[in-house]
Amino acid sequence: MRASEKAYTTLRNDIIHWRLAPGAVLAEVELSERLGVSRTPIREALAKLSAEGLAEPQSGRGMVVSEISLDHLEELFELRSALECRAAELAARRGDPAVFHALHRELSNAGELITDDDPTRHDYYRLAGDLDVAVDAAVGNHYLSQALKSLRVHLVRVRRLSKDNPARLRDAAREHAAIALAIANGNPAVASAATTVHLDNSLRHLLGSRATP
Amino acid sequence: MRASEKAYTTLRNDIIHWRLAPGAVLAEVELSERLGVSRTPIREALAKLSAEGLAEPQSGRGMVVSEISLDHLEELFELRSALECRAAELAARRGDPAVFHALHRELSNAGELITDDDPTRHDYYRLAGDLDVAVDAAVGNHYLSQALKSLRVHLVRVRRLSKDNPARLRDAAREHAAIALAIANGNPAVASAATTVHLDNSLRHLLGSRATP
DNA sequence: CACCGGAACTTTGTATACACTGAGGTGGAT
DNA sequence: ATCCACCTCAGTGTATACAAAGTTCCGGTG
């Protein structure tokens, strides 16, 4: 693996998983020593992170991890809604019903996955991710997929801002199942509407239950 | 101006204005000699262009100017529609009516700007750009604005694929005026619908009248 | 005592030298 | 004659040295 890729991946994960908090300074020499590569690949990594919106140039000098807070949530979800509603719509027109019927079945049983055994909700988030992947594939639009991909990075980051209670996750799974069903049935309007409903519920939940700092 | 910025700006303009055609190889040494800077800022510029989607890594080695053709148009316009319809909707809810009434007046008279005196249609495109800026400002959503901004780069590139006849531009101006009016009237549904209509007309025109190569 | 100026230092921006890898060509063997 | 192996070379990937710019702290002055 190239050094610049390694630096990029490491920093990206550190930012997404809050090991590098918003506002943290990204000093080139310090990073190059910590990651064991020279400054050149570090700079390359920082440029990519900046383009992705995970880092931003400090006033005049240096880079810092970009801010993310509940204040950004509404804005983030407006973009998310625009993209995901359209994606669901297009998936309903173009997707293979069998694929989404299968996802609907899985998601309908997803409540069982949400137990106290797995506090990271890994299985649940993977299933939700599967739906995203299936929608992307069904839509078959490179530009839309890219826009969604760059958006999801920020969504992962935001997830840490709230405590996820099991009840909400079970509701979310049901909402996902409804979206999958609408797509499987080839109904664009319902798919879009179900997505709107789901995102509104998610947003209100996130804004309502703030994580204890 | 920093050398990396200069390299980035120059290359970006060269790509957007088709002085660097899709598929052209972006060799670091050749570019560094041509632009009179060392390879380091060139690499930085290429990284940014790659993140923006204007350049992409060649199989294994090197970078090339990314492809853009009429085959990508439908995909591009699907994303565009998702973003701009929502933006128009939100602008109708939040915008200052006075601003958009003014734009509506200007756009209603835009037909006069489209003469044979200015074959680049500079005045017209600037007016259309003013509407975009006003919508962005009215929406007040950083993430949505960023998504639109990165999309518009590709749209400028695509513009060269078709010959723009004056009749279509005058129609387009009227459609823009309709969008501005709907926003001024605070009617989200109409603003979104007018945007959908405008984009559909634009797309069909682009696909219908191919530029003679 | 506060404020302004400058010098030193820290940190980024750029150039260049070196290392490595993949591609293409050439020569030999079958 | 064709195919394979090896070698050469072009061009990228990385490291490091040097230049420039901005920040901070100290001292002087009003």
Side-chain angles (χ1 to χ4, degrees):
Chain A
M1 190 185 213
R2 290 204 304 276
S4 60
E5 285 180 59
K6 175 187 161 188
Y8 170 70
T9 308
T10 305
L11 288 174
R12 191 169 179 278
N13 280 328
D14 283 355
I15 294 173
I16 288 178
H17 295 110
W18 287 72
R19 286 187 291 272
L20 282 171
V25 297
L26 300 166
E28 296 178 5
V29 285
E30 187 249 320
L31 292 176
S32 73
E33 284 167 8
R34 183 154 68 83
L35 302 182
V37 298
S38 80
R39 277 178 56 215
T40 310
I42 294 286
R43 287 178 67 82
E44 206 128 331
L46 290 179
K48 276 176 98 170
L49 291 171
S50 170
E52 213 172 344
L54 290 177
E56 39 192 31
Q58 192 143 345
S59 61
R61 205 170 172 90
M63 302 264 274
V64 295
V65 177
S66 65
E67 292 295 331
I68 187 87
S69 73
L70 291 172
D71 302 338
H72 299 74
L73 255 191
E74 275 112 327
E75 293 192 13
L76 205 53
F77 267 65
E78 274 177 8
L79 174 59
R80 186 183 182 186
S81 175
L83 294 173
E84 293 206 351
C85 286
R86 184 62 57 99
E89 226 175 283
L90 295 171
R93 288 208 184 88
R94 300 172 189 165
D96 175 7
V99 171
F100 289 94
H101 273 303
L103 277 166
H104 171 241
R105 269 193 301 279
E106 283 196 82
L107 284 161
S108 299
N109 300 327
E112 303 165 5
L113 293 176
I114 300 158
T115 63
D116 291 337
D117 295 352
D118 177 22
T120 68
R121 321 298 186 196
H122 179 265
D123 287 331
Y124 165 72
Y125 282 125
R126 198 162 58 84
L127 198 50
D130 287 348
L131 179 59
D132 287 339
V133 169
V135 169
D136 271 14
V139 171
N141 183 323
H142 171 77
Y143 297 100
L144 189 51
S145 295
Q146 277 305 110
L148 277 166
K149 187 179 159 196
S150 72
L151 172 69
R152 287 185 187 125
V153 171
H154 296 280
L155 290 173
V156 172
R157 245 182 122 203
V158 131
R159 203 178 277 161
R160 290 292 172 101
L161 287 172
S162 74
K163 51 176 182 243
D164 57 344
N165 64 42
R168 169 60 200 148
L169 285 184
R170 272 188 274 269
D171 284 348
R174 271 191 287 274
E175 292 162 12
H176 277 138
I179 295 170
L181 182 61
I183 295 174
N185 288 337
N187 194 326
V190 174
S192 176
T195 302
T196 300
V197 168
H198 167 59
L199 293 182
D200 182 60
N201 284 335
S202 292
L203 177 60
R204 283 189 297 109
H205 172 75
L206 285 169
L207 289 177
S209 78
R210 320 207 154 195
T212 49
Chain B
M1 191 184 213
R2 290 204 305 273
S4 60
E5 284 180 58
K6 175 186 160 189
Y8 169 70
T9 308
T10 306
L11 289 174
R12 191 171 180 278
N13 279 329
D14 283 354
I15 294 174
I16 288 177
H17 296 110
W18 286 72
R19 286 187 291 273
L20 282 171
V25 296
L26 299 166
E28 297 178 4
V29 285
E30 187 249 319
L31 292 175
S32 73
E33 284 166 9
R34 185 154 68 83
L35 301 183
V37 297
S38 80
R39 279 179 54 215
T40 309
I42 294 286
R43 288 178 66 81
E44 207 128 329
L46 290 179
K48 273 176 101 170
L49 291 170
S50 170
E52 212 171 345
L54 290 177
E56 38 193 33
Q58 182 117 306
S59 62
R61 211 168 171 89
M63 303 264 274
V64 295
V65 178
S66 65
E67 292 295 333
I68 188 87
S69 74
L70 291 172
D71 302 338
H72 301 74
L73 254 190
E74 277 111 327
E75 293 191 12
L76 206 52
F77 267 65
E78 274 177 9
L79 175 58
R80 187 183 182 186
S81 175
L83 294 174
E84 293 206 351
C85 287
R86 183 63 58 101
E89 226 175 283
L90 295 171
R93 288 208 184 88
R94 300 172 189 164
D96 174 7
V99 171
F100 289 94
H101 274 301
L103 277 166
H104 172 243
R105 268 192 303 277
E106 283 195 80
L107 284 162
S108 298
N109 300 327
E112 304 165 6
L113 293 177
I114 299 158
T115 63
D116 291 336
D117 294 351
D118 176 20
T120 68
R121 320 301 186 195
H122 180 264
D123 287 332
Y124 166 72
Y125 283 125
R126 199 161 59 85
L127 199 50
D130 287 349
L131 178 59
D132 286 340
V133 169
V135 169
D136 271 14
V139 172
N141 183 324
H142 172 76
Y143 297 100
L144 189 52
S145 294
Q146 277 304 110
L148 278 166
K149 187 179 159 197
S150 71
L151 172 69
R152 287 183 187 127
V153 172
H154 297 281
L155 291 173
V156 172
R157 245 182 124 201
V158 133
R159 203 179 277 161
R160 290 291 172 102
L161 286 172
S162 74
K163 50 176 182 244
D164 56 344
N165 64 40
R168 169 59 200 148
L169 285 184
R170 272 187 275 270
D171 284 347
R174 272 190 287 274
E175 293 162 11
H176 277 138
I179 295 170
L181 182 61
I183 295 174
N185 289 336
N187 195 325
V190 174
S192 175
T195 302
T196 300
V197 168
H198 167 59
L199 293 182
D200 183 60
N201 285 335
S202 292
L203 177 59
R204 282 190 296 108
H205 175 261
L206 285 169
L207 289 176
S209 77
R210 320 208 154 195
T212 49

mmCIF file of all heavy atoms in Angstrom, chain A residues 167-194:
data_model
loop_
_atom_site.group_PDB
_atom_site.id
_atom_site.type_symbol
_atom_site.label_atom_id
_atom_site.label_comp_id
_atom_site.label_asym_id
_atom_site.label_seq_id
_atom_site.Cartn_x
_atom_site.Cartn_y
_atom_site.Cartn_z
ATOM 1 N N ALA A 167 -34.951 1.065 20.904
ATOM 2 C CA ALA A 167 -36.316 1.256 20.399
ATOM 3 C C ALA A 167 -36.283 2.030 19.085
ATOM 4 O O ALA A 167 -36.940 1.659 18.104
ATOM 5 C CB ALA A 167 -37.151 2.007 21.440
ATOM 6 N N ARG A 168 -35.482 3.088 19.041
ATOM 7 C CA ARG A 168 -35.404 3.881 17.816
ATOM 8 C C ARG A 168 -34.816 3.047 16.677
ATOM 9 O O ARG A 168 -35.272 3.127 15.544
ATOM 10 C CB ARG A 168 -34.551 5.125 18.048
ATOM 11 C CG ARG A 168 -34.181 5.881 16.786
ATOM 12 C CD ARG A 168 -35.414 6.365 16.022
ATOM 13 N NE ARG A 168 -35.090 6.652 14.631
ATOM 14 C CZ ARG A 168 -35.912 6.499 13.601
ATOM 15 N NH1 ARG A 168 -37.145 6.061 13.809
ATOM 16 N NH2 ARG A 168 -35.532 6.783 12.390
ATOM 17 N N LEU A 169 -33.810 2.246 16.976
ATOM 18 C CA LEU A 169 -33.193 1.437 15.929
ATOM 19 C C LEU A 169 -34.186 0.443 15.348
ATOM 20 O O LEU A 169 -34.216 0.196 14.144
ATOM 21 C CB LEU A 169 -31.957 0.711 16.462
ATOM 22 C CG LEU A 169 -30.726 1.599 16.660
ATOM 23 C CD1 LEU A 169 -29.546 0.757 17.100
ATOM 24 C CD2 LEU A 169 -30.393 2.342 15.385
ATOM 25 N N ARG A 170 -35.027 -0.122 16.234
ATOM 26 C CA ARG A 170 -36.036 -1.068 15.732
ATOM 27 C C ARG A 170 -37.047 -0.349 14.839
ATOM 28 O O ARG A 170 -37.449 -0.857 13.801
ATOM 29 C CB ARG A 170 -36.715 -1.783 16.904
ATOM 30 C CG ARG A 170 -35.969 -3.049 17.329
ATOM 31 C CD ARG A 170 -36.753 -3.843 18.365
ATOM 32 N NE ARG A 170 -36.492 -3.356 19.722
ATOM 33 C CZ ARG A 170 -35.531 -3.820 20.510
ATOM 34 N NH1 ARG A 170 -34.751 -4.805 20.094
ATOM 35 N NH2 ARG A 170 -35.341 -3.331 21.715
ATOM 36 N N ASP A 171 -37.413 0.852 15.247
ATOM 37 C CA ASP A 171 -38.287 1.657 14.380
ATOM 38 C C ASP A 171 -37.607 1.935 13.047
ATOM 39 O O ASP A 171 -38.216 1.824 11.974
ATOM 40 C CB ASP A 171 -38.629 2.992 15.065
ATOM 41 C CG ASP A 171 -39.677 2.818 16.159
ATOM 42 O OD1 ASP A 171 -40.281 1.721 16.204
ATOM 43 O OD2 ASP A 171 -39.875 3.758 16.943
ATOM 44 N N ALA A 172 -36.327 2.321 13.124
ATOM 45 C CA ALA A 172 -35.599 2.648 11.900
ATOM 46 C C ALA A 172 -35.560 1.445 10.969
ATOM 47 O O ALA A 172 -35.707 1.576 9.751
ATOM 48 C CB ALA A 172 -34.189 3.109 12.244
ATOM 49 N N ALA A 173 -35.355 0.266 11.546
ATOM 50 C CA ALA A 173 -35.319 -0.950 10.732
ATOM 51 C C ALA A 173 -36.653 -1.150 10.018
ATOM 52 O O ALA A 173 -36.697 -1.504 8.829
ATOM 53 C CB ALA A 173 -34.998 -2.161 11.602
ATOM 54 N N ARG A 174 -37.740 -0.893 10.730
ATOM 55 C CA ARG A 174 -39.063 -1.023 10.107
ATOM 56 C C ARG A 174 -39.221 -0.011 8.972
ATOM 57 O O ARG A 174 -39.791 -0.313 7.920
ATOM 58 C CB ARG A 174 -40.160 -0.806 11.155
ATOM 59 C CG ARG A 174 -40.567 -2.093 11.871
ATOM 60 C CD ARG A 174 -41.829 -1.898 12.709
ATOM 61 N NE ARG A 174 -41.569 -1.119 13.911
ATOM 62 C CZ ARG A 174 -41.145 -1.651 15.060
ATOM 63 N NH1 ARG A 174 -40.928 -2.946 15.156
ATOM 64 N NH2 ARG A 174 -40.929 -0.893 16.116
ATOM 65 N N GLU A 175 -38.699 1.199 9.199
ATOM 66 C CA GLU A 175 -38.800 2.217 8.142
ATOM 67 C C GLU A 175 -37.975 1.812 6.922
ATOM 68 O O GLU A 175 -38.390 2.003 5.774
ATOM 69 C CB GLU A 175 -38.332 3.573 8.694
ATOM 70 C CG GLU A 175 -39.275 4.134 9.750
ATOM 71 C CD GLU A 175 -38.636 5.224 10.600
ATOM 72 O OE1 GLU A 175 -37.548 5.690 10.229
ATOM 73 O OE2 GLU A 175 -39.235 5.595 11.621
ATOM 74 N N HIS A 176 -36.800 1.268 7.186
ATOM 75 C CA HIS A 176 -35.981 0.770 6.074
ATOM 76 C C HIS A 176 -36.711 -0.326 5.317
ATOM 77 O O HIS A 176 -36.680 -0.392 4.084
ATOM 78 C CB HIS A 176 -34.646 0.218 6.604
ATOM 79 C CG HIS A 176 -33.621 1.284 6.823
ATOM 80 N ND1 HIS A 176 -32.795 1.320 7.933
ATOM 81 C CD2 HIS A 176 -33.266 2.351 6.073
ATOM 82 C CE1 HIS A 176 -32.001 2.365 7.842
ATOM 83 N NE2 HIS A 176 -32.270 3.013 6.741
ATOM 84 N N ALA A 177 -37.360 -1.201 6.076
ATOM 85 C CA ALA A 177 -38.105 -2.293 5.446
ATOM 86 C C ALA A 177 -39.199 -1.728 4.541
ATOM 87 O O ALA A 177 -39.432 -2.237 3.431
ATOM 88 C CB ALA A 177 -38.703 -3.203 6.522
ATOM 89 N N ALA A 178 -39.840 -0.659 5.007
ATOM 90 C CA ALA A 178 -40.903 -0.040 4.201
ATOM 91 C C ALA A 178 -40.343 0.517 2.902
ATOM 92 O O ALA A 178 -40.964 0.396 1.830
ATOM 93 C CB ALA A 178 -41.579 1.071 5.011
ATOM 94 N N ILE A 179 -39.159 1.106 2.987
ATOM 95 C CA ILE A 179 -38.522 1.649 1.780
ATOM 96 C C ILE A 179 -38.207 0.510 0.807
ATOM 97 O O ILE A 179 -38.518 0.590 -0.392
ATOM 98 C CB ILE A 179 -37.237 2.423 2.150
ATOM 99 C CG1 ILE A 179 -37.573 3.657 2.996
ATOM 100 C CG2 ILE A 179 -36.479 2.819 0.891
ATOM 101 C CD1 ILE A 179 -36.363 4.341 3.602
ATOM 102 N N ALA A 180 -37.613 -0.549 1.341
ATOM 103 C CA ALA A 180 -37.259 -1.699 0.497
ATOM 104 C C ALA A 180 -38.499 -2.267 -0.180
ATOM 105 O O ALA A 180 -38.475 -2.621 -1.369
ATOM 106 C CB ALA A 180 -36.566 -2.768 1.338
ATOM 107 N N LEU A 181 -39.595 -2.329 0.567
ATOM 108 C CA LEU A 181 -40.829 -2.885 0.012
ATOM 109 C C LEU A 181 -41.362 -2.017 -1.126
ATOM 110 O O LEU A 181 -41.748 -2.524 -2.192
ATOM 111 C CB LEU A 181 -41.884 -3.016 1.112
ATOM 112 C CG LEU A 181 -43.219 -3.634 0.682
ATOM 113 C CD1 LEU A 181 -42.997 -5.057 0.160
ATOM 114 C CD2 LEU A 181 -44.218 -3.646 1.841
ATOM 115 N N ALA A 182 -41.346 -0.705 -0.909
ATOM 116 C CA ALA A 182 -41.848 0.203 -1.949
ATOM 117 C C ALA A 182 -41.021 0.069 -3.220
ATOM 118 O O ALA A 182 -41.552 0.086 -4.336
ATOM 119 C CB ALA A 182 -41.818 1.638 -1.444
ATOM 120 N N ILE A 183 -39.710 -0.080 -3.058
ATOM 121 C CA ILE A 183 -38.844 -0.256 -4.225
ATOM 122 C C ILE A 183 -39.150 -1.588 -4.904
ATOM 123 O O ILE A 183 -39.270 -1.673 -6.132
ATOM 124 C CB ILE A 183 -37.361 -0.173 -3.813
ATOM 125 C CG1 ILE A 183 -37.030 1.224 -3.290
ATOM 126 C CG2 ILE A 183 -36.464 -0.520 -4.999
ATOM 127 C CD1 ILE A 183 -35.624 1.364 -2.726
ATOM 128 N N ALA A 184 -39.292 -2.624 -4.081
ATOM 129 C CA ALA A 184 -39.590 -3.952 -4.628
ATOM 130 C C ALA A 184 -40.895 -3.919 -5.418
ATOM 131 O O ALA A 184 -41.021 -4.571 -6.460
ATOM 132 C CB ALA A 184 -39.672 -4.970 -3.495
ATOM 133 N N ASN A 185 -41.838 -3.125 -4.942
ATOM 134 C CA ASN A 185 -43.133 -3.028 -5.625
ATOM 135 C C ASN A 185 -43.092 -2.094 -6.833
ATOM 136 O O ASN A 185 -44.107 -1.902 -7.496
ATOM 137 C CB ASN A 185 -44.209 -2.542 -4.647
ATOM 138 C CG ASN A 185 -44.570 -3.609 -3.629
ATOM 139 O OD1 ASN A 185 -44.373 -4.812 -3.868
ATOM 140 N ND2 ASN A 185 -45.079 -3.187 -2.487
ATOM 141 N N GLY A 186 -41.952 -1.497 -7.050
ATOM 142 C CA GLY A 186 -41.814 -0.612 -8.208
ATOM 143 C C GLY A 186 -42.637 0.655 -8.094
ATOM 144 O O GLY A 186 -43.120 1.185 -9.089
ATOM 145 N N ASN A 187 -42.759 1.161 -6.881
ATOM 146 C CA ASN A 187 -43.583 2.350 -6.662
ATOM 147 C C ASN A 187 -42.713 3.544 -6.252
ATOM 148 O O ASN A 187 -42.410 3.731 -5.070
ATOM 149 C CB ASN A 187 -44.621 2.053 -5.580
ATOM 150 C CG ASN A 187 -45.711 3.098 -5.546
ATOM 151 O OD1 ASN A 187 -45.453 4.280 -5.804
ATOM 152 N ND2 ASN A 187 -46.930 2.679 -5.243
ATOM 153 N N PRO A 188 -42.321 4.379 -7.200
ATOM 154 C CA PRO A 188 -41.398 5.483 -6.918
ATOM 155 C C PRO A 188 -41.930 6.472 -5.899
ATOM 156 O O PRO A 188 -41.186 6.898 -5.008
ATOM 157 C CB PRO A 188 -41.234 6.163 -8.277
ATOM 158 C CG PRO A 188 -41.663 5.168 -9.278
ATOM 159 C CD PRO A 188 -42.708 4.334 -8.617
ATOM 160 N N ALA A 189 -43.200 6.842 -6.017
ATOM 161 C CA ALA A 189 -43.750 7.856 -5.119
ATOM 162 C C ALA A 189 -43.701 7.381 -3.677
ATOM 163 O O ALA A 189 -43.318 8.121 -2.763
ATOM 164 C CB ALA A 189 -45.180 8.195 -5.527
ATOM 165 N N VAL A 190 -44.090 6.127 -3.466
ATOM 166 C CA VAL A 190 -44.089 5.589 -2.104
ATOM 167 C C VAL A 190 -42.657 5.446 -1.586
ATOM 168 O O VAL A 190 -42.365 5.733 -0.418
ATOM 169 C CB VAL A 190 -44.821 4.231 -2.048
ATOM 170 C CG1 VAL A 190 -44.687 3.610 -0.668
ATOM 171 C CG2 VAL A 190 -46.286 4.407 -2.411
ATOM 172 N N ALA A 191 -41.759 5.001 -2.454
ATOM 173 C CA ALA A 191 -40.364 4.857 -2.038
ATOM 174 C C ALA A 191 -39.811 6.195 -1.570
ATOM 175 O O ALA A 191 -39.151 6.297 -0.530
ATOM 176 C CB ALA A 191 -39.527 4.306 -3.192
ATOM 177 N N SER A 192 -40.091 7.242 -2.335
ATOM 178 C CA SER A 192 -39.628 8.577 -1.966
ATOM 179 C C SER A 192 -40.275 9.041 -0.666
ATOM 180 O O SER A 192 -39.601 9.558 0.234
ATOM 181 C CB SER A 192 -39.957 9.555 -3.097
ATOM 182 O OG SER A 192 -39.602 10.856 -2.731
ATOM 183 N N ALA A 193 -41.561 8.828 -0.557
ATOM 184 C CA ALA A 193 -42.283 9.261 0.648
ATOM 185 C C ALA A 193 -41.773 8.522 1.882
ATOM 186 O O ALA A 193 -41.561 9.114 2.943
ATOM 187 C CB ALA A 193 -43.775 9.040 0.467
ATOM 188 N N ALA A 194 -41.564 7.224 1.734
ATOM 189 C CA ALA A 194 -41.074 6.435 2.871
ATOM 190 C C ALA A 194 -39.701 6.916 3.300
ATOM 191 O O ALA A 194 -39.381 6.943 4.502
ATOM 192 C CB ALA A 194 -41.024 4.955 2.483
#
